[in-house]
């Protein structure tokens, strides 16, 4: 019986992937304290080939975590600070006249990288936001009629501050839909805060990125992504995902529900969570874990419920509880 179980567990070999995930977590744990769920979601998004929107007040290590996450991957990293005067060419790049050849040459912008951190994404105007649509969805940029493909991996990590609204532009729903997860990063607990202060003191001025080693290269990552796609999903799990998302479209508390893209995002995220656990099949728990980060930025409350102070997370809890879990 034991050998049967062993064979069952090894339909998709996930030992190396699971070890790499543990190594990433322990590496980031040297600097980042008390953000285990945030780091788990970043790794899941990476395996699911998605982008992440990170929301939280200033000073809670959103940017640092994103930068260190890029460091554990042996990939290129670029950072773009979004401002109200930022133009699409500042992000995508532009064609420049070469005086020697009298030809225009394309100078690529900071979006041409592997892990791109966009700080304060809601500060840039609509024209610049629109420039990101093609980049995030098609993994390419079209400039002056020429299409330039991005190299794999390509992952956008975008931060936004939910408190300060002056000089910001609300992200359009179509753009929010491009992010597989929206992660809400909160203040640390008291014990974590003490540990943060202690580790900072013990570093004696050493920069955080000098403490972090690179763990995975591009080839390994491509292999891990492929294995994640091979995770088995039973028909009843697919039905469960569809029922959860469909319920958001006809729920009395919601003005806007999730799209089929949200259903696919839940599927991909659930596969990633299963792979991270070393399992080659998706369970209902993987699906439940994916629901909130995938849907909380894709659904809109009715004005009445919003005025009552109801949160999207609370409505998603109601939906999860109302649908029978497949056995």
């Amino acid at each position: 019986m034991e050998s049967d179980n062993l064979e069952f567990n090894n339909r998709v070999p996930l030992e190396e992937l699971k070890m790499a995930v543990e190594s990433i977590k322990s590496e980031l744990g040297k600097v980042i304290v008390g953000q285990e769920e945030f780091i788990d979601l970043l790794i899941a998004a990476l395996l699911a080939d998605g982008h992440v929107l990170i929301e939280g007040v200033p000073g809670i290590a959103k940017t640092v975590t994103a930068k260190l996450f890029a460091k554990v991957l042996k990939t290129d990293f670029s950072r773009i600070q979004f401002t109200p005067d930022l133009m699409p060419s500042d992000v995508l790049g532009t064609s420049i006249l070469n005086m020697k050849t009298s030809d225009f040459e394309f100078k690529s912008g900071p979006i041409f990288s592997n892990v791109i951190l966009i700080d304060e994404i809601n500060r840039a105007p609509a024209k610049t936001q629109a420039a990101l649509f093609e980049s995030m969805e098609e993994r390419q940029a079209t400039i002056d009629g020429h299409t330039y493909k991005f190299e794999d991996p390509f992952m956008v990590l975008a931060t936004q501050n939910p408190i300060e609204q002056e000089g910001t532009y609300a992200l359009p729903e179509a753009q929010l839909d491009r992010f597989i997860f929206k992660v809400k990063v909160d203040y640390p607990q008291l014990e974590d805060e003490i540990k943060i202060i202690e580790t900072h003191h013990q570093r004696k001025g050493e920069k955080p990125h000098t403490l972090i080693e690179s763990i995975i290269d591009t080839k390994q990552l491509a292999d891990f992504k492929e294995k994640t796609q091979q995770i088995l999903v039973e028909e009843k799990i697919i039905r469960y995902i569809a029922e959860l998302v469909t319920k958001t479209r006809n729920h009395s508390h919601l003005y806007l529900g999730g799209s089929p893209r949200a259903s696919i995002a839940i599927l991909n995220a659930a596969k990633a969570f299963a792979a991270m656990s070393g399992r080659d099949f998706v369970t209902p728990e993987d699906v439940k874990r994916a629901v909130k980060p995938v849907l909380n930025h894709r659904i809109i409350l009715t004005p009445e419920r919003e005025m009552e102070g109801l949160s999207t997370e609370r409505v998603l809890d109601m939906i999860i509880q109302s649908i029978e879990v497949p056995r």
Side-chain angles (χ1 to χ4, degrees), residues 31 60 91 103 107 116 146 188 192 213 233 236 261-262 318:
V31 178
I60 51 175
V91 176
D103 283 331
K107 292 281 285 181
I116 298 96
H146 294 280
D192 288 335
E213 298 293 326
V233 187
K236 60 185 180 183
R261 188 190 273 138
M318 291 177 195

Side-chain angles (χ1 to χ4, degrees), residues 37-55 136 155-158 176-184 265-270 272-273 276 286-287 289-298:
E37 183 63 9
F38 179 20
I39 290 167
D40 275 358
L41 290 172
L42 287 178
I43 297 169
L46 181 72
L47 293 173
D49 210 17
H51 311 293
V52 182
L53 180 63
I54 306 159
E55 185 177 275
M136 290 173 70
M155 185 183 195
V156 173
L157 304 174
L176 286 171
D177 209 25
R178 267 31 177 209
F179 291 99
I180 188 170
F181 295 144
K182 178 182 179 181
V183 185
K184 294 186 178 180
I266 291 174
L267 173 73
N268 290 337
F273 289 137
M276 287 163 67
D286 296 322
V287 174
R289 192 178 175 190
V291 167
K292 285 185 190 173
V294 168
L295 283 173
N296 68 14
H297 58 298
R298 288 180 161 98

